[in-house]
Amino acid sequence: MYAAEPTVELPKLQLPADLVAEVSRRGAARTDFRVESWKPSLLERIAQKLGLG
């Protein structure tokens, strides 16, 4: 015989309307996540350390 599996009901997430509106408004804008440390000067220094430059 198999035991009945317990069911767990997750609580509903209630977000404030102004927060939902702000997320919706900002969702359209694309953010550009760049890694600033990968500039050519850093790559040149790495190449010099490796004896490539």
Side-chain angles (χ1 to χ4, degrees):
M1 275 192 171
Y2 294 104
E5 291 185 23
T7 58
V8 177
E9 298 229 2
L10 297 176
K12 299 279 183 184
L13 182 61
Q14 298 293 327
L15 296 174
D18 58 339
L19 179 61
V20 174
E22 183 68 18
V23 170
S24 299
R25 186 178 69 81
R26 289 184 182 236
R30 259 199 110 106
T31 54
D32 188 15
F33 297 104
R34 295 186 197 178
V35 179
E36 290 294 323
S37 63
W38 288 104
K39 292 183 177 180
S41 62
L42 175 65
L43 295 176
E44 288 172 5
R45 285 184 278 165
I46 292 172
Q48 286 175 354
K49 294 268 185 194
L50 295 174
L52 300 174

